[in-house]
Amino acid sequence: MLNLERLRTLDALARHGSVSGAAEGLHVTTSAVSQQMAKLEREVGQQLLARNGRGVRLTDAGRLLAEHAARILSQVALAQSDLEAQRGQVVGELRLAAFPTALRGLFPVALAALRNDHPALRVRSRELAPEEGVRAVLRGDADLAVVLDWYNKPLPMPDGLAKAPILDDPVEVAMTEDHPLAGRDEVDLDDFADDEWVAWPEGEFCHEWLLYTLRTKGIEPRIAHCAEEHHTQLALVAAGLGVCVAPRLGRDPMPAGVRAVPVRHRVHRYVYAVWRADADRRPSIRAAVRALQDAAPKAR
């Protein structure tokens, strides 16, 4: 009989593409991954891994078994979800992920409520960019992720995920108080065609959104500085080094000397939770979504 944990190791290898990636995803050592795979090869009587330079690749037999492993593990997750739903109790472990401002703006209130209402539930959380959060849920490294869509550019969403809305997050433009547009009640993004921007790191979903949005207005953005954290971006704005997009979620307190002005044609982000559809009936998932939705009014 095939061992479930060894199938889980094979599935992690197929998803991550390397022994080190599988080890990181499973929170074990690389030697533990290698040992599990060696035992699985003895069990099935076929070679599942082959050397590929300094790394490894799946053989034809390895890929075939990995496809079955993915389906088996999905069925196991569905069975666990149905059992939890039948029992109706919010227990066990729940692994959450969120992009930085959601982690700061939503999680303290939501996780405190979960601990108070469901003391038998163990919650772990970590910070991941939206696209990384989606991948973590698909890989099984997270049970639920808080991610976002921009009003004019949705985050690519693979099949097999369920989702629920958390809040709409209005976006403003932050600038120094002596900026020529700081005294206005509203601004347009077009007004900053000649300004330098402080943005997210290159390649990130939010960075690509800013480039896309400004270019659709005929503006080639001048990205002067990049930083992951909004508070770091705002600190660079306060130093007079550019302007930045400033969503309200998790933003306060604003640095001295910085003003955020609303955008005339409403710019906003849709913040929502995603989880695997085969875990849809888990009471812990439902409890987490409710806690996040209840925390949303306090985050604005």
Side-chain angles (χ1 to χ4, degrees):
M1 183 177 294
L2 294 170
N3 180 281
L4 189 62
E5 286 309 308
R6 287 166 199 155
L7 289 180
R8 198 180 304 279
T9 302
L10 175 63
D11 178 65
L13 262 171
R15 288 186 285 104
H16 291 276
S18 68
V19 172
S20 59
E24 183 178 353
L26 294 169
H27 306 289
V28 298
T29 63
T30 54
S31 62
V33 170
S34 298
Q35 290 169 16
Q36 288 284 59
M37 289 304 303
K39 291 177 181 178
L40 184 58
E41 287 183 326
R42 288 197 294 271
E43 285 179 352
V44 301
Q46 295 191 64
Q47 184 179 359
L48 302 177
L49 296 179
R51 288 288 176 188
N52 185 27
R54 294 185 176 181
V56 295
R57 61 172 178 83
L58 293 178
T59 63
D60 290 344
R63 285 194 296 272
L64 177 64
L65 185 56
E67 291 173 1
H68 284 288
R71 290 193 289 271
I72 290 167
L73 293 170
S74 179
Q75 284 300 116
V76 170
L78 184 59
Q80 292 172 332
S81 177
D82 286 345
L83 284 171
E84 284 189 29
Q86 194 274 337
R87 184 169 53 182
Q89 297 177 342
V90 182
V91 297
E93 181 178 85
L94 189 66
R95 299 162 300 165
L96 307 180
F99 59 93
T101 50
L103 193 70
R104 184 190 307 117
L106 288 169
F107 273 34
V109 172
L111 300 194
L114 281 173
R115 173 175 286 185
N116 182 66
D117 296 341
H118 307 288
L121 179 67
R122 301 185 306 278
V123 178
R124 291 192 291 154
S125 65
R126 59 175 171 154
E127 185 179 288
L128 290 176
E131 60 272 34
E132 293 174 340
V134 169
R135 289 195 293 267
V137 170
L138 284 173
R139 291 195 305 261
D141 296 339
D143 299 305
L144 178 148
V146 177
V147 299
L148 63 90
D149 284 340
W150 287 95
Y151 74 103
N152 60 341
K153 189 175 176 65
L155 181 71
M157 193 58 55
D159 294 335
L161 296 180
K163 61 192 290 189
I166 304 300
L167 59 83
D168 286 359
D169 186 23
V171 169
E172 300 170 336
V173 178
M175 65 202 81
T176 55
E177 290 179 343
D178 60 1
H179 190 283
L181 302 178
R184 291 192 184 180
D185 293 330
E186 293 179 322
V187 292
D188 287 320
L189 293 179
D190 315 53
D191 296 332
F192 301 93
D194 296 325
D195 282 88
E196 292 188 329
W197 285 87
V198 178
W200 297 267
E202 291 184 22
E204 287 198 3
F205 176 61
C206 291
H207 183 100
E208 296 305 313
W209 165 80
L210 182 61
L211 296 181
Y212 167 82
T213 301
L214 293 175
R215 284 170 179 166
T216 58
K217 296 176 178 294
I219 301 168
E220 184 57 36
R222 299 165 57 198
I223 307 296
H225 307 283
C226 293
E228 180 71 44
E229 280 283 345
H230 280 229
H231 281 190
T232 304
Q233 295 178 14
L234 290 169
L236 292 168
V237 170
L241 299 174
V243 300
C244 78
V245 170
R248 291 183 186 171
L249 177 62
R251 186 179 73 190
D252 293 334
M254 291 282 285
V258 174
R259 179 159 188 260
V261 181
V263 179
R264 183 174 296 108
H265 300 292
R266 186 169 180 262
V267 176
H268 56 280
R269 312 186 296 181
Y270 301 111
V271 178
Y272 56 99
V274 297
W275 60 93
R276 287 172 63 118
D278 54 23
D280 195 49
R281 297 185 63 201
R282 286 181 61 186
S284 56
I285 294 284
R286 294 296 172 185
V289 171
R290 285 194 300 272
L292 289 164
Q293 290 172 334
D294 290 345
K298 303 179 181 68
R300 289 188 173 93

